[in-house]
mmCIF file of all heavy atoms in Angstrom:
data_model
loop_
_atom_site.group_PDB
_atom_site.id
_atom_site.type_symbol
_atom_site.label_atom_id
_atom_site.label_comp_id
_atom_site.label_asym_id
_atom_site.label_seq_id
_atom_site.Cartn_x
_atom_site.Cartn_y
_atom_site.Cartn_z
ATOM 1 N N GLY A 12 -30.850 23.886 32.873
ATOM 2 C CA GLY A 12 -31.777 24.407 33.854
ATOM 3 C C GLY A 12 -31.581 23.841 35.249
ATOM 4 O O GLY A 12 -31.671 24.570 36.252
ATOM 5 N N ASP A 13 -31.299 22.534 35.342
ATOM 6 C CA ASP A 13 -31.092 21.939 36.654
ATOM 7 C C ASP A 13 -29.797 22.442 37.293
ATOM 8 O O ASP A 13 -29.709 22.588 38.522
ATOM 9 C CB ASP A 13 -31.112 20.410 36.581
ATOM 10 C CG ASP A 13 -30.175 19.845 35.520
ATOM 11 O OD1 ASP A 13 -29.720 20.593 34.638
ATOM 12 O OD2 ASP A 13 -29.922 18.625 35.545
ATOM 13 N N SER A 14 -28.788 22.739 36.467
ATOM 14 C CA SER A 14 -27.526 23.287 36.981
ATOM 15 C C SER A 14 -27.766 24.641 37.644
ATOM 16 O O SER A 14 -27.255 24.914 38.740
ATOM 17 C CB SER A 14 -26.510 23.457 35.857
ATOM 18 O OG SER A 14 -26.403 22.323 35.047
ATOM 19 N N VAL A 15 -28.522 25.504 36.973
ATOM 20 C CA VAL A 15 -28.754 26.853 37.488
ATOM 21 C C VAL A 15 -29.669 26.800 38.713
ATOM 22 O O VAL A 15 -29.495 27.569 39.667
ATOM 23 C CB VAL A 15 -29.329 27.753 36.373
ATOM 24 C CG1 VAL A 15 -29.566 29.170 36.894
ATOM 25 C CG2 VAL A 15 -28.374 27.795 35.181
ATOM 26 N N TRP A 16 -30.627 25.876 38.723
ATOM 27 C CA TRP A 16 -31.502 25.707 39.890
ATOM 28 C C TRP A 16 -30.673 25.317 41.111
ATOM 29 O O TRP A 16 -30.862 25.859 42.210
ATOM 30 C CB TRP A 16 -32.558 24.651 39.603
ATOM 31 C CG TRP A 16 -33.642 24.564 40.638
ATOM 32 C CD1 TRP A 16 -34.831 25.220 40.648
ATOM 33 C CD2 TRP A 16 -33.609 23.758 41.839
ATOM 34 N NE1 TRP A 16 -35.558 24.881 41.766
ATOM 35 C CE2 TRP A 16 -34.835 23.997 42.524
ATOM 36 C CE3 TRP A 16 -32.680 22.881 42.387
ATOM 37 C CZ2 TRP A 16 -35.150 23.365 43.722
ATOM 38 C CZ3 TRP A 16 -32.989 22.261 43.598
ATOM 39 C CH2 TRP A 16 -34.202 22.504 44.251
ATOM 40 N N LYS A 17 -29.745 24.393 40.940
ATOM 41 C CA LYS A 17 -28.899 23.976 42.064
ATOM 42 C C LYS A 17 -27.979 25.119 42.496
ATOM 43 O O LYS A 17 -27.703 25.289 43.697
ATOM 44 C CB LYS A 17 -28.089 22.735 41.672
ATOM 45 C CG LYS A 17 -28.946 21.467 41.581
ATOM 46 C CD LYS A 17 -28.134 20.269 41.124
ATOM 47 C CE LYS A 17 -27.205 19.751 42.201
ATOM 48 N NZ LYS A 17 -27.952 19.146 43.335
ATOM 49 N N LEU A 18 -27.489 25.905 41.546
ATOM 50 C CA LEU A 18 -26.690 27.076 41.887
ATOM 51 C C LEU A 18 -27.507 28.040 42.743
ATOM 52 O O LEU A 18 -27.009 28.578 43.746
ATOM 53 C CB LEU A 18 -26.218 27.776 40.611
ATOM 54 C CG LEU A 18 -25.659 29.192 40.788
ATOM 55 C CD1 LEU A 18 -24.415 29.184 41.656
ATOM 56 C CD2 LEU A 18 -25.369 29.821 39.426
ATOM 57 N N ALA A 19 -28.767 28.258 42.372
ATOM 58 C CA ALA A 19 -29.620 29.168 43.137
ATOM 59 C C ALA A 19 -29.783 28.690 44.573
ATOM 60 O O ALA A 19 -29.765 29.489 45.520
ATOM 61 C CB ALA A 19 -30.983 29.297 42.451
ATOM 62 N N ARG A 20 -29.919 27.374 44.761
ATOM 63 C CA ARG A 20 -30.066 26.850 46.121
ATOM 64 C C ARG A 20 -28.759 27.025 46.908
ATOM 65 O O ARG A 20 -28.784 27.257 48.117
ATOM 66 C CB ARG A 20 -30.467 25.377 46.077
ATOM 67 C CG ARG A 20 -31.742 25.079 45.283
ATOM 68 C CD ARG A 20 -33.004 25.637 45.925
ATOM 69 N NE ARG A 20 -33.161 27.080 45.820
ATOM 70 C CZ ARG A 20 -33.561 27.714 44.711
ATOM 71 N NH1 ARG A 20 -33.808 27.044 43.598
ATOM 72 N NH2 ARG A 20 -33.713 29.023 44.728
ATOM 73 N N ARG A 21 -27.631 26.898 46.239
ATOM 74 C CA ARG A 21 -26.344 27.107 46.913
ATOM 75 C C ARG A 21 -26.196 28.571 47.327
ATOM 76 O O ARG A 21 -25.711 28.876 48.431
ATOM 77 C CB ARG A 21 -25.197 26.685 45.989
ATOM 78 C CG ARG A 21 -23.815 26.825 46.602
ATOM 79 C CD ARG A 21 -22.804 25.940 45.914
ATOM 80 N NE ARG A 21 -22.753 26.154 44.482
ATOM 81 C CZ ARG A 21 -22.007 27.096 43.891
ATOM 82 N NH1 ARG A 21 -21.254 27.905 44.613
ATOM 83 N NH2 ARG A 21 -21.993 27.199 42.580
ATOM 84 N N LEU A 22 -26.634 29.492 46.458
ATOM 85 C CA LEU A 22 -26.590 30.914 46.799
ATOM 86 C C LEU A 22 -27.577 31.236 47.914
ATOM 87 O O LEU A 22 -27.321 32.115 48.745
ATOM 88 C CB LEU A 22 -26.879 31.760 45.562
ATOM 89 C CG LEU A 22 -25.776 31.758 44.494
ATOM 90 C CD1 LEU A 22 -26.248 32.467 43.230
ATOM 91 C CD2 LEU A 22 -24.498 32.431 45.029
ATOM 92 N N ASP A 23 -28.710 30.515 47.957
ATOM 93 C CA ASP A 23 -29.642 30.682 49.074
ATOM 94 C C ASP A 23 -28.932 30.456 50.405
ATOM 95 O O ASP A 23 -29.087 31.235 51.353
ATOM 96 C CB ASP A 23 -30.793 29.666 48.970
ATOM 97 C CG ASP A 23 -31.877 30.082 47.984
ATOM 98 O OD1 ASP A 23 -31.856 31.234 47.520
ATOM 99 O OD2 ASP A 23 -32.746 29.235 47.685
ATOM 100 N N ARG A 24 -28.165 29.362 50.461
ATOM 101 C CA ARG A 24 -27.502 29.020 51.722
ATOM 102 C C ARG A 24 -26.502 30.084 52.149
ATOM 103 O O ARG A 24 -26.279 30.300 53.346
ATOM 104 C CB ARG A 24 -26.806 27.662 51.588
ATOM 105 C CG ARG A 24 -27.780 26.499 51.410
ATOM 106 C CD ARG A 24 -27.084 25.156 51.536
ATOM 107 N NE ARG A 24 -26.179 24.888 50.435
ATOM 108 C CZ ARG A 24 -26.529 24.306 49.293
ATOM 109 N NH1 ARG A 24 -27.797 23.954 49.097
ATOM 110 N NH2 ARG A 24 -25.645 24.068 48.344
ATOM 111 N N GLY A 25 -25.889 30.764 51.178
ATOM 112 C CA GLY A 25 -24.879 31.753 51.513
ATOM 113 C C GLY A 25 -25.397 33.167 51.668
ATOM 114 O O GLY A 25 -24.806 33.967 52.405
ATOM 115 N N LEU A 26 -26.528 33.500 50.992
ATOM 116 C CA LEU A 26 -26.930 34.901 50.923
ATOM 117 C C LEU A 26 -28.358 35.203 51.347
ATOM 118 O O LEU A 26 -28.658 36.336 51.745
ATOM 119 C CB LEU A 26 -26.768 35.417 49.481
ATOM 120 C CG LEU A 26 -25.385 35.413 48.844
ATOM 121 C CD1 LEU A 26 -25.486 35.953 47.427
ATOM 122 C CD2 LEU A 26 -24.408 36.240 49.665
ATOM 123 N N LEU A 27 -29.255 34.237 51.247
ATOM 124 C CA LEU A 27 -30.678 34.531 51.420
ATOM 125 C C LEU A 27 -30.969 35.129 52.790
ATOM 126 O O LEU A 27 -30.540 34.612 53.827
ATOM 127 C CB LEU A 27 -31.494 33.251 51.236
ATOM 128 C CG LEU A 27 -33.001 33.447 51.037
ATOM 129 C CD1 LEU A 27 -33.287 34.230 49.774
ATOM 130 C CD2 LEU A 27 -33.721 32.103 50.990
ATOM 131 N N GLY A 28 -31.701 36.246 52.771
ATOM 132 C CA GLY A 28 -32.063 36.922 54.009
ATOM 133 C C GLY A 28 -30.987 37.831 54.565
ATOM 134 O O GLY A 28 -31.213 38.536 55.554
ATOM 135 N N ARG A 29 -29.810 37.850 53.938
ATOM 136 C CA ARG A 29 -28.726 38.712 54.396
ATOM 137 C C ARG A 29 -28.807 40.074 53.702
ATOM 138 O O ARG A 29 -29.325 40.191 52.601
ATOM 139 C CB ARG A 29 -27.359 38.098 54.116
ATOM 140 C CG ARG A 29 -26.891 37.054 55.103
ATOM 141 C CD ARG A 29 -27.588 35.746 54.953
ATOM 142 N NE ARG A 29 -26.814 34.640 55.532
ATOM 143 C CZ ARG A 29 -27.162 33.370 55.433
ATOM 144 N NH1 ARG A 29 -28.253 33.027 54.768
ATOM 145 N NH2 ARG A 29 -26.419 32.435 55.995
ATOM 146 N N THR A 30 -28.233 41.059 54.353
ATOM 147 C CA THR A 30 -28.158 42.394 53.776
ATOM 148 C C THR A 30 -26.772 42.601 53.177
ATOM 149 O O THR A 30 -25.751 42.283 53.803
ATOM 150 C CB THR A 30 -28.423 43.469 54.844
ATOM 151 O OG1 THR A 30 -29.756 43.311 55.339
ATOM 152 C CG2 THR A 30 -28.266 44.871 54.258
ATOM 153 N N VAL A 31 -26.745 43.111 51.971
ATOM 154 C CA VAL A 31 -25.477 43.366 51.283
ATOM 155 C C VAL A 31 -24.781 44.546 51.956
ATOM 156 O O VAL A 31 -25.358 45.629 52.085
ATOM 157 C CB VAL A 31 -25.718 43.664 49.787
ATOM 158 C CG1 VAL A 31 -24.404 44.014 49.087
ATOM 159 C CG2 VAL A 31 -26.390 42.472 49.114
ATOM 160 N N THR A 32 -23.556 44.327 52.389
ATOM 161 C CA THR A 32 -22.782 45.403 53.013
ATOM 162 C C THR A 32 -21.848 46.081 52.017
ATOM 163 O O THR A 32 -21.437 47.223 52.235
ATOM 164 C CB THR A 32 -21.951 44.853 54.191
ATOM 165 O OG1 THR A 32 -21.129 43.762 53.726
ATOM 166 C CG2 THR A 32 -22.875 44.343 55.292
ATOM 167 N N ARG A 33 -21.512 45.370 50.956
ATOM 168 C CA ARG A 33 -20.679 45.960 49.901
ATOM 169 C C ARG A 33 -20.971 45.246 48.597
ATOM 170 O O ARG A 33 -21.069 44.018 48.561
ATOM 171 C CB ARG A 33 -19.185 45.821 50.218
ATOM 172 C CG ARG A 33 -18.273 46.461 49.169
ATOM 173 C CD ARG A 33 -16.811 46.344 49.568
ATOM 174 N NE ARG A 33 -16.308 44.979 49.450
ATOM 175 C CZ ARG A 33 -15.726 44.498 48.346
ATOM 176 N NH1 ARG A 33 -15.607 45.251 47.254
ATOM 177 N NH2 ARG A 33 -15.272 43.258 48.331
ATOM 178 N N SER A 34 -21.132 46.037 47.537
ATOM 179 C CA SER A 34 -21.306 45.440 46.215
ATOM 180 C C SER A 34 -20.330 46.084 45.250
ATOM 181 O O SER A 34 -19.953 47.241 45.397
ATOM 182 C CB SER A 34 -22.743 45.610 45.704
ATOM 183 O OG SER A 34 -23.002 46.944 45.298
ATOM 184 N N ASP A 35 -19.936 45.288 44.272
ATOM 185 C CA ASP A 35 -19.008 45.770 43.242
ATOM 186 C C ASP A 35 -19.404 45.097 41.942
ATOM 187 O O ASP A 35 -19.238 43.882 41.781
ATOM 188 C CB ASP A 35 -17.573 45.411 43.631
ATOM 189 C CG ASP A 35 -16.530 46.032 42.700
ATOM 190 O OD1 ASP A 35 -16.933 46.733 41.749
ATOM 191 O OD2 ASP A 35 -15.330 45.790 42.932
ATOM 192 N N LEU A 36 -19.955 45.866 41.020
ATOM 193 C CA LEU A 36 -20.382 45.356 39.712
ATOM 194 C C LEU A 36 -19.343 45.794 38.691
ATOM 195 O O LEU A 36 -19.294 46.965 38.301
ATOM 196 C CB LEU A 36 -21.771 45.878 39.359
ATOM 197 C CG LEU A 36 -22.870 45.606 40.400
ATOM 198 C CD1 LEU A 36 -24.213 46.166 39.936
ATOM 199 C CD2 LEU A 36 -22.985 44.121 40.707
ATOM 200 N N ARG A 37 -18.511 44.859 38.273
ATOM 201 C CA ARG A 37 -17.340 45.203 37.477
ATOM 202 C C ARG A 37 -17.591 45.060 35.983
ATOM 203 O O ARG A 37 -16.879 44.365 35.259
ATOM 204 C CB ARG A 37 -16.156 44.333 37.910
ATOM 205 C CG ARG A 37 -15.793 44.513 39.368
ATOM 206 C CD ARG A 37 -14.654 43.606 39.806
ATOM 207 N NE ARG A 37 -14.368 43.729 41.238
ATOM 208 C CZ ARG A 37 -13.477 43.000 41.888
ATOM 209 N NH1 ARG A 37 -12.755 42.090 41.229
ATOM 210 N NH2 ARG A 37 -13.298 43.154 43.184
ATOM 211 N N VAL A 38 -18.631 45.694 35.525
ATOM 212 C CA VAL A 38 -18.890 45.843 34.090
ATOM 213 C C VAL A 38 -19.195 47.320 33.867
ATOM 214 O O VAL A 38 -19.837 47.955 34.721
ATOM 215 C CB VAL A 38 -20.053 44.954 33.607
ATOM 216 C CG1 VAL A 38 -19.679 43.477 33.705
ATOM 217 C CG2 VAL A 38 -21.329 45.218 34.402
ATOM 218 N N PRO A 39 -18.728 47.896 32.761
ATOM 219 C CA PRO A 39 -18.797 49.349 32.597
ATOM 220 C C PRO A 39 -20.178 49.954 32.812
ATOM 221 O O PRO A 39 -20.325 50.966 33.516
ATOM 222 C CB PRO A 39 -18.310 49.547 31.158
ATOM 223 C CG PRO A 39 -17.375 48.408 30.920
ATOM 224 C CD PRO A 39 -17.985 47.252 31.661
ATOM 225 N N ARG A 40 -21.261 49.341 32.258
ATOM 226 C CA ARG A 40 -22.556 50.002 32.353
ATOM 227 C C ARG A 40 -23.195 49.889 33.712
ATOM 228 O O ARG A 40 -24.156 50.593 34.008
ATOM 229 C CB ARG A 40 -23.538 49.490 31.296
ATOM 230 C CG ARG A 40 -23.464 48.185 30.913
ATOM 231 C CD ARG A 40 -24.263 47.705 29.719
ATOM 232 N NE ARG A 40 -24.377 46.291 29.812
ATOM 233 C CZ ARG A 40 -25.294 45.692 30.523
ATOM 234 N NH1 ARG A 40 -26.201 46.386 31.143
ATOM 235 N NH2 ARG A 40 -25.322 44.399 30.611
ATOM 236 N N LEU A 41 -22.636 49.018 34.593
ATOM 237 C CA LEU A 41 -23.201 48.873 35.928
ATOM 238 C C LEU A 41 -22.233 49.319 37.025
ATOM 239 O O LEU A 41 -22.548 49.215 38.205
ATOM 240 C CB LEU A 41 -23.589 47.405 36.180
ATOM 241 C CG LEU A 41 -24.619 46.788 35.240
ATOM 242 C CD1 LEU A 41 -24.869 45.336 35.618
ATOM 243 C CD2 LEU A 41 -25.925 47.577 35.255
ATOM 244 N N ALA A 42 -21.095 49.836 36.621
ATOM 245 C CA ALA A 42 -20.015 50.119 37.577
ATOM 246 C C ALA A 42 -20.418 51.123 38.654
ATOM 247 O O ALA A 42 -19.872 51.097 39.763
ATOM 248 C CB ALA A 42 -18.779 50.604 36.841
ATOM 249 N N THR A 43 -21.353 52.004 38.362
ATOM 250 C CA THR A 43 -21.741 53.019 39.349
ATOM 251 C C THR A 43 -22.952 52.600 40.179
ATOM 252 O O THR A 43 -23.361 53.337 41.078
ATOM 253 C CB THR A 43 -22.055 54.355 38.653
ATOM 254 O OG1 THR A 43 -23.153 54.172 37.748
ATOM 255 C CG2 THR A 43 -20.840 54.862 37.878
ATOM 256 N N ARG A 44 -23.523 51.438 39.898
ATOM 257 C CA ARG A 44 -24.696 50.976 40.632
ATOM 258 C C ARG A 44 -24.263 50.301 41.936
ATOM 259 O O ARG A 44 -23.229 49.623 41.978
ATOM 260 C CB ARG A 44 -25.517 49.995 39.786
ATOM 261 C CG ARG A 44 -25.953 50.562 38.437
ATOM 262 C CD ARG A 44 -26.947 51.696 38.582
ATOM 263 N NE ARG A 44 -28.187 51.249 39.192
ATOM 264 C CZ ARG A 44 -29.210 50.737 38.507
ATOM 265 N NH1 ARG A 44 -29.128 50.595 37.187
ATOM 266 N NH2 ARG A 44 -30.313 50.378 39.127
ATOM 267 N N ASP A 45 -25.051 50.468 42.969
ATOM 268 C CA ASP A 45 -24.671 49.967 44.294
ATOM 269 C C ASP A 45 -25.850 49.221 44.917
ATOM 270 O O ASP A 45 -26.955 49.762 45.015
ATOM 271 C CB ASP A 45 -24.258 51.139 45.183
ATOM 272 C CG ASP A 45 -23.664 50.701 46.515
ATOM 273 O OD1 ASP A 45 -23.509 49.485 46.724
ATOM 274 O OD2 ASP A 45 -23.362 51.586 47.333
ATOM 275 N N LEU A 46 -25.616 47.982 45.337
ATOM 276 C CA LEU A 46 -26.658 47.180 45.975
ATOM 277 C C LEU A 46 -26.517 47.138 47.492
ATOM 278 O O LEU A 46 -27.269 46.430 48.164
ATOM 279 C CB LEU A 46 -26.618 45.755 45.415
ATOM 280 C CG LEU A 46 -26.987 45.624 43.926
ATOM 281 C CD1 LEU A 46 -26.688 44.221 43.419
ATOM 282 C CD2 LEU A 46 -28.454 45.974 43.710
ATOM 283 N N SER A 47 -25.584 47.906 48.029
ATOM 284 C CA SER A 47 -25.377 47.938 49.472
ATOM 285 C C SER A 47 -26.654 48.381 50.192
ATOM 286 O O SER A 47 -27.373 49.266 49.724
ATOM 287 C CB SER A 47 -24.241 48.896 49.836
ATOM 288 O OG SER A 47 -23.031 48.468 49.249
ATOM 289 N N GLY A 48 -26.922 47.728 51.320
ATOM 290 C CA GLY A 48 -28.094 48.073 52.105
ATOM 291 C C GLY A 48 -29.348 47.317 51.709
ATOM 292 O O GLY A 48 -30.364 47.399 52.403
ATOM 293 N N ARG A 49 -29.288 46.562 50.630
ATOM 294 C CA ARG A 49 -30.448 45.791 50.174
ATOM 295 C C ARG A 49 -30.360 44.353 50.690
ATOM 296 O O ARG A 49 -29.284 43.757 50.718
ATOM 297 C CB ARG A 49 -30.546 45.788 48.656
ATOM 298 C CG ARG A 49 -30.764 47.172 48.039
ATOM 299 C CD ARG A 49 -30.904 47.071 46.528
ATOM 300 N NE ARG A 49 -30.989 48.375 45.896
ATOM 301 C CZ ARG A 49 -32.126 49.050 45.679
ATOM 302 N NH1 ARG A 49 -33.276 48.496 46.059
ATOM 303 N NH2 ARG A 49 -32.118 50.219 45.094
ATOM 304 N N GLU A 50 -31.517 43.812 51.047
ATOM 305 C CA GLU A 50 -31.581 42.426 51.500
ATOM 306 C C GLU A 50 -31.774 41.496 50.315
ATOM 307 O O GLU A 50 -32.515 41.813 49.368
ATOM 308 C CB GLU A 50 -32.739 42.250 52.476
ATOM 309 C CG GLU A 50 -32.894 40.835 53.011
ATOM 310 C CD GLU A 50 -34.119 40.676 53.881
ATOM 311 O OE1 GLU A 50 -34.681 41.710 54.310
ATOM 312 O OE2 GLU A 50 -34.530 39.522 54.133
ATOM 313 N N VAL A 51 -31.077 40.366 50.328
ATOM 314 C CA VAL A 51 -31.275 39.342 49.297
ATOM 315 C C VAL A 51 -32.545 38.571 49.660
ATOM 316 O O VAL A 51 -32.597 37.888 50.685
ATOM 317 C CB VAL A 51 -30.069 38.380 49.234
ATOM 318 C CG1 VAL A 51 -30.291 37.351 48.132
ATOM 319 C CG2 VAL A 51 -28.775 39.147 49.007
ATOM 320 N N ILE A 52 -33.576 38.684 48.818
ATOM 321 C CA ILE A 52 -34.865 38.092 49.182
ATOM 322 C C ILE A 52 -35.204 36.839 48.371
ATOM 323 O O ILE A 52 -36.052 36.059 48.783
ATOM 324 C CB ILE A 52 -36.013 39.113 49.065
ATOM 325 C CG1 ILE A 52 -36.138 39.654 47.641
ATOM 326 C CG2 ILE A 52 -35.805 40.265 50.041
ATOM 327 C CD1 ILE A 52 -37.355 40.541 47.441
ATOM 328 N N GLU A 53 -34.521 36.616 47.241
ATOM 329 C CA GLU A 53 -34.835 35.409 46.459
ATOM 330 C C GLU A 53 -33.791 35.187 45.381
ATOM 331 O O GLU A 53 -33.241 36.143 44.830
ATOM 332 C CB GLU A 53 -36.217 35.550 45.805
ATOM 333 C CG GLU A 53 -36.714 34.295 45.112
ATOM 334 C CD GLU A 53 -38.134 34.438 44.586
ATOM 335 O OE1 GLU A 53 -38.681 35.557 44.591
ATOM 336 O OE2 GLU A 53 -38.695 33.411 44.157
#
């Protein structure tokens, strides 16, 4: 749990509050889903 919590804080520094300009979900059931245009809020 502490490992994943620290990972979340590291992702905060890189992504929080930013808008996704391109997403690529490379698993078959999500391959057509697109997160572009969405803001990372948490």
Side-chain angles (χ1 to χ4, degrees):
D13 52 344
S14 312
V15 180
W16 190 92
K17 288 177 73 68
L18 166 63
R20 304 292 74 77
R21 182 158 54 86
L22 290 172
D23 280 350
R24 294 190 291 272
L26 299 179
L27 195 63
R29 279 75 159 186
T30 297
V31 177
T32 55
R33 182 178 72 91
S34 74
D35 187 0
L36 305 180
R37 300 178 184 176
V38 293
R40 33 190 200 84
L41 300 179
T43 61
R44 304 293 296 273
D45 188 4
L46 294 170
S47 299
R49 297 182 185 271
E50 180 185 344
V51 181
I52 60 173
E53 187 175 10

